[in-house]
Amino acid sequence: MDLTNFKVEGTFSSIEMDGRHRDLHNNFRFSSLEYNIASQELTLLWFRRDEDWVASDDPYQLKIVFSSVSLFKVKERDAGCPYTEDDYLSTIGFIGKDMLQEMEGFAYCNPSPEANHLNLSFESGFAVKISASKATCIQV
């Protein structure tokens, strides 16, 4: 997967874009995902949290758009977990393509031919696994 304009940081809960740290766990709330079957495009959407610690110059919205999606899996949330945990990203990272069933694990910040599945897990247990030709982050 080609990350065109961002990278996953070593904290495994943030991305870096244009030299700026974007904390997807603390400063942004996950809002939605949309998968367009016809175009093989997946979009993940976050909004800036309205909290005192969040910098006012953080973008209002972050979108990560995956193109030419070849793998898209989701794992259900933990039914016993409060819904308030659904919008908190827990981890983001790459995992080996041979670990297709693993939905929450990760090992790498950067994709490689051997580790090209991106796993995102949320505090509620919800998880997403993606393989795509490229991913682009859009700030609004």
Side-chain angles (χ1 to χ4, degrees), residues 85-117:
E85 299 300 302
D86 285 344
D87 65 1
Y88 280 95
L89 179 76
S90 178
T91 60
I92 180 173
F94 287 90
I95 192 167
K97 60 184 178 184
D98 59 329
M99 299 182 74
L100 189 60
Q101 299 307 314
E102 177 58 49
M103 290 294 294
E104 295 179 52
F106 59 91
Y108 308 99
C109 292
N110 299 306
S112 70
E114 295 77 33
N116 63 353
H117 291 173

Side-chain angles (χ1 to χ4, degrees), residues 74-79 124-127:
V74 296
K75 176 184 163 272
E76 73 278 5
R77 65 184 309 283
D78 177 354
S124 66
F126 176 68

Side-chain angles (χ1 to χ4, degrees), residues 31-72:
S31 175
S32 65
L33 60 84
E34 180 182 334
Y35 181 56
N36 185 312
I37 295 167
S39 65
Q40 296 175 303
E41 188 173 274
L42 174 67
T43 302
L44 304 179
L45 179 63
W46 281 266
F47 287 97
R48 182 180 65 213
R49 290 189 187 278
D50 187 23
E51 303 292 346
D52 292 340
W53 67 79
V54 180
S56 61
D57 64 345
D58 269 353
Y60 173 70
Q61 183 183 92
L62 286 176
K63 252 192 253 190
I64 301 179
V65 180
F66 298 88
S67 303
S68 299
V69 173
S70 57
L71 174 70
F72 171 48

